[in-house]
Amino acid sequence: MAEAIKILICQGTGGISAGAKKVEAEFNRIIAEKGLSATVGKRCDVVKTGCRGLCANDVLVDIVDEKGCTTYDFVLPEEVAKLVDEHIVAGEPIEKRKAKPYYNKFVDAQQRVVMSGCGQIDAESIDAYLATNGFDAIKKCITAMKPAEVTEEVKKSGLRGRGGGGFPTGLKWSFCAASPGHHKYIICNADEGDPGAFMDRSILEGDPYCLIEGMMIAGYAIGAQFGYVYVRAEYPLAIQRLQKAIDTCYEKGYLGNDCMGLGFEYNMRIKMGAGAFVCGEETALMASIEGERGMPRPRPPFPAVKGLWQNPSNINNVETFANVRHIINNGAEWYAAIGTETTKGTKIFAVTGKVKHTGLVEVPAGMKVRDVIYEVCGGILNNRKFKAVQAGGPSGGCISAELLDTPVDYDSLIKAGAMMGSGGLVVMDETTCMVDISKFFLTFTRMESCGKCVPCRIGLKAMLDILIRITEGNGRDGDIETLIDLGTTIKQASLCGLGQTAPNPVLSTIRYFRDEYEAHINDKRCPSNSCKELLLWQVVEDKCVKCGACKKACPVDAIVWEKGEIAYLDKEKCTKCKSCYDACRFMAIE
């Protein structure tokens, strides 16, 4: 029998919300009707995969046959019959329905290591994982390497923690391994709380076994027999697939008191978090596992010495653990050859905002920010002018256009006033107000502060009050200096990483966009026409082409316009909603 034709259907959270289950059901129905599930030479296997990155184009379907892989995007259930008849039965791909060239560019411009299985294998099948050398790395460690040799291999690879701080992973493991204690714990931080970030979720949904294997390797290296995966409860599909993978590993003997019959003991379970952003901080996370309120603890002692239930514990995030099997299978030298001198390997970014192709991208560390935005993600939406990119989640800093050639590595981003963080990139164009965006991120961190320490609890509230006043047109002389002083003090005096990094969006925007703050305060004007209280729209006659787009967009009939005449605004009716400004393609409204 010829090799089966594979139909890969993206069924991450994005794919399912776009209708992937209906598409899958239709494929199964039609394939059964036509007998293709058993026909010699035309046997079809429908495979539900995890996210492949370009979620905006879901439902994504790959048909893999002897001619190669053909990708179709925006697939609807009613199109399935035609795909089966023309592509699978007749053997002729439908050219008009193929994903556009930018899809291949989006994929080809990346280097997928951690996400190599996402979108390619059935996330719920241990056999699919085994077919990709699954669990070979942990077997190699147990049978051919001593625990210290595993740690040394991870050290030589140069892998740094992908959760934000960038601490060398092998060094962190060695601290925990050296700490005395009969009980030690491996903890995976999957409490992904950054707005717009879904890197960890996609790995859990698309390749959960790689996380299990990575944690097993860490347990062997450190001498830990138990692992926790701390996942926020808002990730039901990730939890479901990870739990199924854990259960299957117990059934098949890959987890338990005698893993794979090799005399290695390792058990693990999931702990669901309640969605507090502060529980992404490792000491608050451990407090939550222990049943306490998730609040940070002073350090030292560090978790490697006294962590979960006062026992030595090692905490890394999902992406960090997912790298480990590849390092063991391919060697530290292979991994160290990817990336830069100080940041080895690849990094996954969740690219959102004013960019043409939003989604997940995995690129070599050191790729320029410009290339991530323009080469991988297609550039700025509506071909507008790039203004800034906020790197590192809500606690990251903003990078201006002058720094677009900054490499995406830990040290370069910190030097630019941003941070790698867990991997969020929020792209902004000329319509974005930098004062308003600072207020947005500070509102989030202020709300998520646990309130334990005074600098964070009081300081962030004071900064936010000033930003609100500025965006409402009530800014005062000295506000900028006060924001800088408060931000600097909060960074220095806060107890945990949330407070220590929360002022970054404000400080970085003042550093690169001080003129916008000054315009808000001194001129009572928002240069980006974004702050509603400061808007006073008018039509620029020289730019107006009399197309009427602004009138159609206005929800309150505030645009007065007769065909062939230049529009003007009825200021009494205008609610300053910005609809006319967004609708005008010629920047004739300001």
Side-chain angles (χ1 to χ4, degrees):
M1 180 182 290
E3 186 174 348
I5 295 173
K6 289 185 178 180
I7 303 169
L8 309 178
I9 303 175
C10 180
Q11 291 203 37
T13 296
I16 291 174
S17 65
K21 286 189 176 296
K22 293 180 180 179
V23 171
E24 179 198 11
E26 192 67 6
F27 265 111
N28 284 327
R29 184 185 68 79
I30 294 175
I31 286 170
E33 277 184 2
K34 295 181 179 293
L36 295 174
S37 57
T39 303
V40 175
K42 286 293 183 180
R43 185 170 66 86
C44 297
D45 290 338
V46 178
V47 180
K48 55 181 181 181
T49 73
C51 174
R52 63 191 65 179
L54 197 58
C55 305
N57 287 42
D58 279 324
V59 176
L60 286 160
V61 174
D62 283 347
I63 298 180
V64 185
D65 54 20
E66 67 276 1
K67 294 181 180 179
C69 176
T70 304
T71 301
Y72 298 98
D73 57 2
F74 304 109
V75 176
L76 300 173
E78 52 266 31
E79 297 177 300
V80 170
K82 187 174 182 180
L83 289 173
V84 172
D85 288 339
E86 297 190 22
H87 189 147
I88 295 174
V89 177
E92 294 296 330
I94 305 174
E95 292 296 327
K96 290 183 179 181
R97 283 297 291 114
K98 284 184 180 180
K100 300 299 184 289
Y102 70 74
Y103 175 81
N104 293 325
K105 186 176 182 181
F106 176 85
V107 174
D108 294 343
Q110 301 179 47
Q111 183 173 353
R112 296 201 165 186
V113 175
V114 174
M115 293 184 66
S116 57
C118 296
Q120 302 300 316
I121 64 172
D122 183 346
E124 299 182 9
S125 169
I126 192 170
D127 292 330
Y129 182 69
L130 292 172
T132 62
N133 301 317
F135 295 108
D136 284 358
I138 182 60
K139 291 177 183 176
K140 177 181 177 181
C141 291
I142 297 171
T143 59
M145 302 173 74
K146 296 177 180 179
E149 292 175 334
V150 176
T151 300
E152 189 60 31
E153 190 75 0
V154 176
K155 281 184 181 179
K156 288 193 298 184
S157 73
L159 175 65
R160 295 172 67 173
R162 296 300 196 249
F167 194 83
T169 303
L171 186 60
K172 194 174 189 180
W173 288 12
S174 68
F175 292 156
C176 191
S179 296
H182 180 67
H183 295 289
K184 295 182 180 181
Y185 293 97
I186 299 296
I187 303 171
C188 175
N189 183 352
D191 188 59
E192 190 173 45
D194 294 359
F198 54 105
M199 298 79 67
D200 293 349
R201 188 196 77 199
S202 294
I203 295 170
L204 294 177
E205 292 176 355
D207 198 3
Y209 290 100
C210 76
L211 170 65
I212 295 172
E213 186 173 7
M215 292 181 68
M216 292 175 71
I217 294 169
Y220 176 76
I222 290 168
Q225 289 82 42
F226 201 94
Y228 281 95
V229 184
Y230 188 90
V231 189
R232 58 199 301 110
E234 294 94 332
Y235 284 178
L237 182 62
I239 293 170
Q240 174 191 323
R241 289 184 178 170
L242 178 60
Q243 187 61 61
K244 183 173 181 178
I246 292 173
D247 293 342
T248 303
C249 284
Y250 274 110
E251 292 169 9
K252 302 287 186 181
Y254 288 93
L255 287 173
N257 297 330
D258 185 16
C259 300
M260 299 165 286
L262 298 174
F264 171 57
E265 179 184 351
Y266 192 80
N267 295 278
M268 64 186 295
R269 61 167 291 190
I270 296 172
K271 167 66 176 179
M272 287 191 288
F277 180 69
V278 73
C279 285
E281 196 277 336
E282 57 185 14
T283 60
L285 183 153
M286 290 187 296
S288 180
I289 292 177
E290 293 169 353
E292 303 292 333
R293 182 180 174 189
M295 299 179 78
R297 301 166 179 171
R299 295 176 297 177
F302 290 93
V305 178
K306 283 189 178 181
L308 191 63
W309 289 299
Q310 300 300 302
N311 293 296
S313 306
N314 180 85
I315 303 178
N316 290 115
N317 83 325
V318 175
E319 187 179 346
T320 308
F321 283 124
N323 271 291
V324 173
R325 68 172 285 226
H326 300 287
I327 292 170
I328 300 300
N329 281 333
N330 298 297
E333 292 77 11
W334 165 81
Y335 191 83
I338 306 170
T340 68
E341 186 64 30
T342 58
T343 306
K344 304 297 185 182
T346 61
K347 182 71 188 78
I348 304 175
F349 291 97
V351 187
T352 58
K354 304 296 182 66
V355 66
K356 288 183 179 178
H357 309 311
T358 60
L360 283 186
V361 302
E362 183 177 0
V363 298
M367 177 180 278
K368 295 178 180 178
V369 176
R370 180 190 303 276
D371 292 336
V372 174
I373 295 172
Y374 285 92
E375 296 301 317
V376 182
C377 297
I380 306 302
L381 193 65
N382 298 323
N383 294 318
R384 283 180 167 159
K385 186 179 178 182
F386 170 86
K387 187 170 190 177
V389 60
Q390 204 259 5
S395 299
C398 293
I399 298 173
S400 63
E402 293 74 25
L403 298 173
L404 259 178
D405 290 320
T406 300
V408 285
D409 63 60
Y410 288 101
D411 303 310
S412 298
L413 289 174
I414 290 173
K415 185 178 178 181
M419 59 189 288
M420 182 86 82
S422 57
L425 289 178
V426 182
V427 181
M428 296 165 247
D429 65 14
E430 57 198 317
T431 66
T432 305
C433 172
M434 304 313 294
V435 185
D436 188 57
I437 205 72
S438 297
K439 183 182 74 172
F440 170 80
F441 285 116
L442 205 66
T443 299
F444 176 82
T445 49
R446 161 72 181 83
M447 181 176 61
E448 294 292 343
S449 171
C450 74
K452 185 173 184 178
C453 69
V454 172
C456 185
R457 182 177 73 244
I458 305 299
L460 293 184
K461 176 65 165 59
M463 291 184 72
L464 182 58
D465 287 344
I466 293 172
L467 289 173
I468 291 172
R469 279 199 295 101
I470 292 174
T471 56
E472 290 178 349
N474 299 314
R476 308 167 188 162
D477 289 340
D479 276 349
I480 297 176
E481 289 70 24
T482 303
L483 286 171
I484 294 173
D485 289 343
L486 281 169
T488 304
T489 302
I490 294 167
K491 285 174 68 69
Q492 294 172 344
S494 291
L495 176 62
C496 79
L498 187 151
Q500 292 163 9
T501 57
N504 284 344
V506 182
L507 296 178
S508 63
T509 51
I510 291 176
R511 177 180 174 182
Y512 295 118
F513 301 96
R514 189 184 181 108
D515 58 321
E516 289 202 22
Y517 282 82
E518 292 173 344
H520 282 72
I521 295 169
N522 300 329
D523 304 331
K524 310 301 179 188
R525 179 178 61 87
C526 176
S528 301
N529 294 321
S530 182
C531 298
K532 186 174 180 179
E533 288 77 6
L534 300 179
L535 297 182
L536 186 61
W537 298 113
Q538 60 182 357
V539 178
V540 181
E541 294 189 10
D542 292 342
K543 295 181 179 180
C544 182
V545 297
K546 308 174 184 178
C547 66
C550 55
K551 180 176 177 62
K552 292 178 182 177
C554 180
V556 293
D557 294 326
I559 301 290
V560 180
W561 182 81
E562 294 292 339
K563 192 170 182 179
E565 296 181 4
I566 293 173
Y568 69 90
L569 282 161
D570 184 333
K571 294 178 182 178
E572 291 184 1
K573 288 185 178 180
C574 181
T575 60
K576 303 180 181 179
C577 69
K578 203 182 175 186
S579 297
C580 58
Y581 175 77
D582 290 335
C584 182
R585 295 171 295 158
F586 304 96
M587 305 301 289
I589 296 179
E590 62 180 33

